[in-house]
Amino acid sequence: MKLKIKKCGLVRKIENEKVTGYYGKVITNGKKSFDEIARQSAKNTTLHPKEASLAAELLLEGICEEIKQGIIVDLGPLGTLYPAVKSKWEQDPDDLKLSDMQPKVNYKPSEGIESAINGASLSWATEKEEAEGTDTPSGDDDVQGGDNGGGNQGGELEG
C-alpha cells in the first residue's frame, strides 16, 4: 500500500503565542459508497447485488444495536468496535471523576488491516494527486506536539 501525504497548515498557541506550522494529511485513493462495495462484493456469486446490499444493511443495523447496548463487536476481518471513555490520568484513583470522562466508541483494526497500514510506504502527494484524491475526514488526523508544548490539536491520541 502506498499513502500520499499533503502538507496542511495549522495555527497553534504555544506559550500564549500563535505559531503557524504544518502537519501531514493522507490523500486517499477516493471514496466508495456502501452500495458500491456491496455490488462489487456480490460479483462472481449467486447473490443479486441488492440481496448482498440488504444482507449487509441488516448486519450493520444489528451491529449498531449491539454497540448501543455496550457490547464489544468483533467485525472479523475489519477489527473490533467497543465502548470506551476518554479519561484523565490521575495518580490517586480517588481523584478520578466521572464528570471528567467522555464516552466514545473505539475501533481496533484487525491484524491484517493494521499490518497493511503500518507497512504502507509514504510519499508526498503531487498537486495533481491532491486535486484528484480525497482528503481524509476532518478530525481524523493525529497531530502530535513536540517538546514545544504544542499538544495534540488535530486528533485524539488517547485510547
Side-chain angles (χ1 to χ4, degrees), residues 81-141:
L81 291 174
Y82 55 97
V85 292
K86 182 177 176 183
S87 173
K88 293 181 178 180
W89 179 90
E90 298 287 352
Q91 262 187 304
D92 185 344
D94 292 335
D95 291 339
L96 286 174
K97 296 180 184 133
L98 290 174
S99 60
D100 292 335
M101 297 182 193
Q102 297 174 341
K104 64 180 190 164
V105 176
N106 275 357
Y107 164 71
K108 181 176 184 338
S110 66
E111 287 182 22
I113 288 177
E114 190 165 36
S115 65
I117 296 295
N118 289 341
S121 64
L122 304 178
S123 62
W124 295 115
T126 63
E127 286 184 30
K128 180 181 177 187
E129 288 167 331
E130 286 184 26
E132 292 176 356
T134 305
D135 278 0
T136 51
S138 297
D140 286 352
D141 296 318

Side-chain angles (χ1 to χ4, degrees), residues 3-9 22-30 123-136:
L3 295 176
K4 298 291 184 173
I5 310 297
K6 81 174 190 177
K7 298 174 186 176
C8 295
Y22 296 85
Y23 70 98
K25 186 172 187 174
V26 172
I27 302 297
T28 66
N29 296 323
S123 62
W124 295 115
T126 63
E127 286 184 30
K128 180 181 177 187
E129 288 167 331
E130 286 184 26
E132 292 176 356
T134 305
D135 278 0
T136 51

Side-chain angles (χ1 to χ4, degrees), residues 2 7 12 14 16 19 22 32 36 41-42 45 57 61 86 103 111-112 117-118 124 134 141 144 149 159:
K2 295 180 182 181
K7 298 174 186 176
R12 285 190 157 159
I14 301 174
N16 292 325
V19 178
Y22 296 85
K32 285 197 176 183
E36 288 173 310
S41 299
T45 72
E57 284 181 35
E61 286 177 13
K86 182 177 176 183
E111 287 182 22
I117 296 295
N118 289 341
W124 295 115
T134 305
D141 296 318
Q144 298 176 349

